[in-house]
């Protein structure tokens, strides 16, 4: 399995810059996710790695071997397409066997490996089916088998689950991770579904405007986002502008329109100086709601909305200093507050208040 | 739409089809299977296969259809592949020019081909000038039996149909299908063969079907080439004595049966419907910008094919202004006289008037029927409306020659529809014949218009107190006028240059349409062919104006009319 090194990659479509001086390293055997809002360049990046786009500048290396100008059919990657791209004129077996036939594998081995691949995706015995006789989930499995059977140097998945219903999606994403790990595959997975990424990625990259906004493990990216965009894209968050007042130990105190709040910098290496303009990110589930003033990090206000969802209660707290209400999620709510008159307080632990550079 | 009106329209159009589509075919079939004393017999059909002349005609017809289809596909496929892969300079204009040959009458072009490739033609004169050919024994390019010339002319006329169908099929292939193959190591021609061609096979087959049916029964081109050993010409010759002679009927029936049989065999071999998988395409087909070399190749191929295809007609233009053109590359003596002759000659002037009359009436009929059928099909929920739709498309699948023969048979003296011939004037039956043949195009464009125009616009009018029929004419018809005009223009221009109905149904000189006049002139001696060419050029000028009009109104949608 290959490791992939991308250096200074630029891809333009007419006047639109799809990839802008992008650098990225993907480790061998890693299940790596590309995530981002639509138009961020994630699909362009995937297709460039597969060889479908020729970059305008920069290089792509597999195991430090330059493949920038190698055409797609010689890269030995295998892509699973969003539309599956199963050929309707070939049956299931012939679809899966295609890549092996192109690699001039002998007939007996093709038979053996295709059968093996079909077993792996739980499609054994369905080799003679036509593509249009398959359900969406089965088509997805065939597409996966077709990509896996050639033992690619790198497996690429382009929103492979977007055509499936929610239940099947959850089942299949576990399946994909199991297979990738079983074979130690280097896999690159494009999605816009953050749950998919958080649940099975080894590492993920958030793309924004043709560049990498952040690379890290799911926990790192969720707990310590580096920019407001990343914080807002992965999960929900409350963003709040402010100015650093003073620093005390690990805590950085920030003066905001709703009062002083203590937080921690997203990057512990880069503690902002007092006087710097910053943005705070506080996840709804990090805020708790109190009826009496808490010891610190208090945000006072009134409820404008409360929604009970069983396992969670969602509140909107309007604070005088901020136009938008704060979103608060309380897990395992024992009682729901509905009183809009009562003065209430939201609070968060300093380690849950992430200080980001002002965007 | 009120149901009673819909049912009336449905019934009316159904009766029209029964009388002028089903009945003529049925009438012909009956004559071929029933003896004079009313007994069922297969002897006439059997006789066809016993007679070596008829068998040779059938074999030649089959070759004519098969080779024309293959040659058309061979011309169209590379063009379509280039146009669907690359962006090159001037593509827009080249892409429309490539379709021009479809509207140039092959019947007229055949005159030009003869001039270019005949023994005393331009190519031989050129080769003799270069010293590459012995002037005493010039090579006969059109070959013994002239099948080669006929096939070449047919293919140069019909390849745009293949081009349109293949292009449409290619555009519908999810590019991911090809990328998946590329990704798994399958590239270039191999990918074309393993993935692209199988996927566009149904589209190619649809185009090939039209071309095959068209050329298998083509009458005009072999007639001009004096290629008499094909079934279509044999039927045409047989018309001269129809009374008591069952063999022309039997030939027509054999032709019809073979057409259906070849269609079914082809469908079984190539036309298997490929159901597209449910996933949606992730990306549209993005065309690559051509390198300078590729630019040159693309432009070169398009210009070459278009040039070859219009060459016969250029030959016709030269022929029409030449006084002397025999064994030389260019005419040795020029004159504009033929154009005046063509307008002054009683035969020609009359024929232009006749054609205008027939074609306009047919077009009006077409537009009225087209609106009615399209309305019932698109806007009502009447059971059986799909049947009506299929019926309206059928004239594409039945050879024009078969229908023309049916019309002739059913309007002969003493037959049921004798009254349609007014004295000796075939105007009514010719108008009906033209209308039925071109109805599919008009129905297609009218239906497209109805589909694009929301029914709520009409409902709003009705809601404000406008009765249903009036709301149709006041609201919807003006909105789809462009579609109707385009479809109508197309029907009109095809009617102006229609061959088989015209040659078969117009028997008296004063009732000849243009095509029959050209045919009569070609076979006459002296300046006949030159005047015929001049008349052909007048006709092409007419056509150019109509088609340009249709193109301006319809824009790019023009091509959609030729897809099945």
């Amino acid at each position: 399995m290959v490791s992939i090194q991308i250096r200074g990659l630029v891809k333009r479509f007419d006047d639109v810059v799809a990839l802008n001086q992008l650098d990225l390293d993907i480790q061998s055997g890693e299940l790596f996710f590309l995530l981002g809002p639509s138009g961020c360049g994630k699909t362009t990046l995937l297709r460039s790695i597969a060889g479908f786009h020729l970059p305008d500048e920069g290089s792509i290396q597999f195991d430090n071997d330059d493949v920038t100008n190698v055409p797609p059919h010689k890269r030995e990657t295998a892509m699973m397409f969003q539309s599956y791209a199963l050929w309707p004129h070939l049956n299931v077996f012939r679809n899966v066997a295609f890549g092996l036939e192109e690699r001039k594998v002998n007939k007996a081995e093709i038979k053996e490996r295709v059968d093996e691949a079909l077993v792996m995706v739980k499609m054994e015995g369905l080799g003679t089916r036509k593509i249009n006789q398959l359900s969406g989930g089965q088509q997805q499995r065939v597409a996966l088998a077709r990509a896996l059977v050639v033992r690619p140097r790198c497996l690429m998945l382009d929103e492979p689950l977007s055509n499936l219903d929610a239940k099947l999606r959850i089942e299949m994403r576990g399946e994909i991770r199991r297979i990738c790990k079983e074979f130690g595959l280097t896999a690159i997975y494009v999605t816009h579904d953050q749950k998919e990424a958080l649940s099975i990625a080894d590492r993920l990259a958030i793309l924004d405007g043709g560049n990498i906004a952040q690379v890290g493990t799911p926990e790192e990216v969720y707990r310590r986002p580096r920019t407001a965009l990343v914080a807002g894209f992965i999960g929900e968050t409350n963003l709040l502008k402010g100015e650093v007042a003073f620093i005390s130990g690990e805590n950085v105190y920030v003066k905001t329109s709703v009062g002083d709040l203590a937080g921690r910098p997203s990057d512990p290496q880069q503690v902002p100086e007092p006087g710097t303009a910053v943005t705070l990110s506080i996840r709804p589930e990090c805020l708790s709601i109190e009826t009496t003033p808490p010891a610190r990090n208090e945000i006072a206000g009134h409820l404008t909305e409360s929604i009970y969802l069983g396992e969670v209660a969602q509140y909107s707290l309007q604070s005088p200093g901020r136009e938008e209400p704060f979103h608060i999620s309380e897990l395992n709510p024992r009682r729901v507050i509905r009183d809009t008159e009562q003065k209430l307080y939201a609070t968060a632990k300093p380690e849950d208040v992430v200080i980001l550079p002002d965007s | 739409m009120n149901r009673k009106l819909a049912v009336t329209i449905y019934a009316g159009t159904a009766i029209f089809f029964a009388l002028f589509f089903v009945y003529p075919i049925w009438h012909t079939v009956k004559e071929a299977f029933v003896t004079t004393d009313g007994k069922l017999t297969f002897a006439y059909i059997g006789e066809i296969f016993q007679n070596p002349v008829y068998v040779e005609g059938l074999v030649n017809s089959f070759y004519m259809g098969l080779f024309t289809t293959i040659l058309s596909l061979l011309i169209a496929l590379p063009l379509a592949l280039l146009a669907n892969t690359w962006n090159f300079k001037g593509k827009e204009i080249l892409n429309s020019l490539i379709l021009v040959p479809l509207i140039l009458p092959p019947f007229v072009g055949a005159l030009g081909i003869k001039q270019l490739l005949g023994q005393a033609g331009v190519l031989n004169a050129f080769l003799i000038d270069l010293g590459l050919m012995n002037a005493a024994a010039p090579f006969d390019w059109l070959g013994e039996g002239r099948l080669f010339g006929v096939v070449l002319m047919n293919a140069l006329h019909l390849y745009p149909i293949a081009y349109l169908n293949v292009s449409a099929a290619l555009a519908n292939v999810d590019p991911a299908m090809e990328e998946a193959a590329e990704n798994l190591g399958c590239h270039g021609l191999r990918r074309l063969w393993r993935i692209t061609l199988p996927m566009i096979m149904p589209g190619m087959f649809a185009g090939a079907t039209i071309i095959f049916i068209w050329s298998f029964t083509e009458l005009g081109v072999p007639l001009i080439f004096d290629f008499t050993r094909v079934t279509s010409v044999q039927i045409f010759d047989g018309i001269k004595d129809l009374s008591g002679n069952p063999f022309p009927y039997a030939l027509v029936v054999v032709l019809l049966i073979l057409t259906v049989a070849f269609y079914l065999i082809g469908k079984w071999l190539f036309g298997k419907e490929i159901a597209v998988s449910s996933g949606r395409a992730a990306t549209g087909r993005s065309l690559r910008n051509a390198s300078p070399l590729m630019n040159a190749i693309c432009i070169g191929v398009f210009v070459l094919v278009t040039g070859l295809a219009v060459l016969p007609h250029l030959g016709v233009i030269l022929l029409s202004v030449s006084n002397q053109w025999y064994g030389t590359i260019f005419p040795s003596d020029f004159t504009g006289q033929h154009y005046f002759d063509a307008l002054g000659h009683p035969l020609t002037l009359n024929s232009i008037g006749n054609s205008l009359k027939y074609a306009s009436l047919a077009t009006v009929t077409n537009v009225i029927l087209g609106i009615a059928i399209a309305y019932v099909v698109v806007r009502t929920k009447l059971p059986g409306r799909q049947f009506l739709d299929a019926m309206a498309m059928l004239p594409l699948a039945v050879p024009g020659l078969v229908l023309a023969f049916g019309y002739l048979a059913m309007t002969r003296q003493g037959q049921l529809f004798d009254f349609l011939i007014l004295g000796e004037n075939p105007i009514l039956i010719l108008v009906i014949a033209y209308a039925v043949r071109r109805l599919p195009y008009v129905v297609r464009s009218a239906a497209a218009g109805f589909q694009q125009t929301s029914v709520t616009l009409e409902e709003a009018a009705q809601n404000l107190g406008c009765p249903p029929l009036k709301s149709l004419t006041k609201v919807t018809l003006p909105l789809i006028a462009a579609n109707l005009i385009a479809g109508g223009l197309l029907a009109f221009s095809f009617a102006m240059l229609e061959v088989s109905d015209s040659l078969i149904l117009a028997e008296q000189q004063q009732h000849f349409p243009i095509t029959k006049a050209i045919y009569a002139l070609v076979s006459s001696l002296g300046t006949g062919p030159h005047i015929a060419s001049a008349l052909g050029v007048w006709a092409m000028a007419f056509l150019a104006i109509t088609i340009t009009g249709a193109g301006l109104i319809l824009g790019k949608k023009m091509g959609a009319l030729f897809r099945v």
Side-chain angles (χ1 to χ4, degrees), chain A residues 47 52 72-73 77-79 81-83 85-89 94 98-99 101-103 131-132 139 146 150 162-163, chain B residues 174 176-187 190 194-195 198-199 274-275 277-283:
Chain A
R47 293 170 59 81
F52 294 124
H73 65 284
T77 64
M79 171 119 90
F81 290 81
Q82 183 177 13
S83 60
L86 296 174
W87 301 299
H89 63 294
R94 295 290 311 283
F98 187 93
E101 287 165 13
E102 288 305 316
R103 283 162 177 72
I131 298 305
N132 61 341
Q139 290 189 16
R146 184 177 71 181
V150 296
S162 63
N163 292 320
Chain B
D174 179 354
M177 296 282 180
E178 292 177 343
E179 284 169 358
E182 197 95 350
N183 184 239
L184 290 172
C186 184
H187 180 65
R190 210 174 140 71
R194 292 200 68 186
I195 301 298
M199 300 226 12
I274 294 180
S277 60
S278 60
R280 70 198 153 86
T283 47

Side-chain angles (χ1 to χ4, degrees), chain B residues 242-264:
Chain B
L242 263 188
S243 42
N245 179 5
F247 290 112
Y249 294 98
L251 262 184
V252 169
V253 169
V254 168
L255 204 60
L256 183 61
I257 293 170
L258 286 179
T259 306
V260 174
F262 290 139
Y263 173 78
L264 291 178

Side-chain angles (χ1 to χ4, degrees), chain B residues 361-419:
Chain B
L361 285 174
T363 306
V364 171
T365 316
N366 264 338
V367 170
I368 293 171
L369 278 174
I371 293 173
I373 294 174
Y375 199 97
V376 170
V377 170
V378 178
R379 284 290 159 84
T380 71
K381 302 262 178 281
L382 278 191
R385 64 188 189 285
Q386 279 89 359
F387 178 72
L388 189 66
D389 189 39
M391 200 72 170
M393 289 299 135
L394 260 189
L396 277 181
V398 173
L401 183 66
V402 171
L403 272 179
F405 189 85
Y407 292 134
L408 180 73
M410 75 186 210
T411 53
R412 278 173 55 227
Q413 259 184 347
Q415 296 296 332
L416 198 54
F417 286 92
D418 188 16
F419 68 89

